[in-house]
Amino acid sequence: MEETGIIRRLDALGRIVIPREFRKLNRIEVGDPLEMRAFKNGEIVLRKVDVSAKLKSIGEMAIETLSMQTSLAVAICSGEKWLCAGSHAKTLAGGNLSDKMKREVEKGGKAVLSCEQMGINLPFHSAFVFPVIGENGVYGALVAFKNEALTDTEAALASNATFFTAKSIQNF
């Protein structure tokens, strides 16, 4: 790993600026969680926190609960990968999102999509996207799969699961 260093002065309020080049290189955006650790030798380490790991662990609980309450096939994705999936969508877990699906997740809105058009290889016609949105933006999405429209109850449960997931991520 190549190291790059730069010197910055602390301002009167105890702040430093992370250079744009470092933010760009490490894909750090406004509002991203950063972990700061101080060591006895005077060293301070700053690192970006991987929200997708938290999304996966909380998402697994949401999927399990949603699967028990409905007959939906459900999966959770970050903006790049399928993180976890219920029993009817297990083949997605760990796979990459198609470019079309990535764009849809980035939009951060609810959507009904064709599985075939989105590159989702499951025996369902439609994918119902429920974004997981927190104060800092879109963390990912909960996606429910079904051949017909969701019932009002299924849609409400999926919305509640995404709300709970987003709040849990923000609180860590």
Side-chain angles (χ1 to χ4, degrees):
M1 179 178 156
E2 186 178 319
E3 291 184 24
T4 305
I6 193 166
I7 296 174
R8 291 287 172 150
R9 295 203 183 277
L10 198 65
D11 74 8
L13 295 175
R15 298 176 298 199
I16 59 169
V17 174
I18 301 171
R20 178 183 8 217
E21 298 81 22
F22 285 19
R23 294 190 316 262
K24 192 173 183 179
L25 178 69
N26 292 289
R27 293 175 19 174
I28 297 172
E29 303 291 332
V30 172
D32 282 351
L34 301 173
E35 177 185 20
M36 187 180 302
R37 290 184 180 234
F39 296 94
K40 290 180 182 177
N41 65 2
E43 210 173 288
I44 296 174
V45 175
L46 187 68
R47 75 174 183 89
K48 182 179 176 181
V49 175
D50 181 11
V51 177
S52 64
K54 192 70 173 173
L55 177 59
K56 179 180 179 186
S57 67
I58 296 167
E60 286 173 339
M61 289 186 287
I63 284 173
E64 184 179 332
T65 303
L66 197 54
S67 294
M68 283 191 295
Q69 300 299 318
T70 68
S71 60
L72 294 174
V74 187
I76 298 275
C77 65
S78 67
E80 302 286 322
K81 291 183 145 293
W82 291 102
L83 301 175
C84 53
S87 59
H88 294 94
K90 282 276 188 221
T91 57
L92 294 177
N96 293 323
L97 299 183
S98 68
D99 289 339
K100 285 183 179 181
M101 189 66 190
K102 285 179 189 176
R103 285 191 295 277
E104 203 57 50
V105 171
E106 284 174 15
K107 286 181 189 176
K110 290 182 183 178
V112 180
L113 311 166
S114 161
C115 287
E116 184 179 350
Q117 289 176 337
M118 300 313 281
I120 300 168
N121 189 19
L122 289 176
F124 299 100
H125 176 43
S126 300
F128 301 85
V129 180
F130 295 86
V132 178
I133 302 174
E135 292 172 0
N136 302 327
V138 179
Y139 299 125
L142 180 146
V143 184
F145 303 97
K146 199 170 175 185
N147 286 323
E148 62 274 350
L150 294 182
T151 66
D152 290 342
T153 301
E154 290 169 335
L157 288 169
S159 288
N160 286 337
T162 58
F163 179 77
F164 166 79
T165 301
K167 284 294 185 191
S168 298
I169 291 171
Q170 283 177 197
N171 292 334
F172 91 96

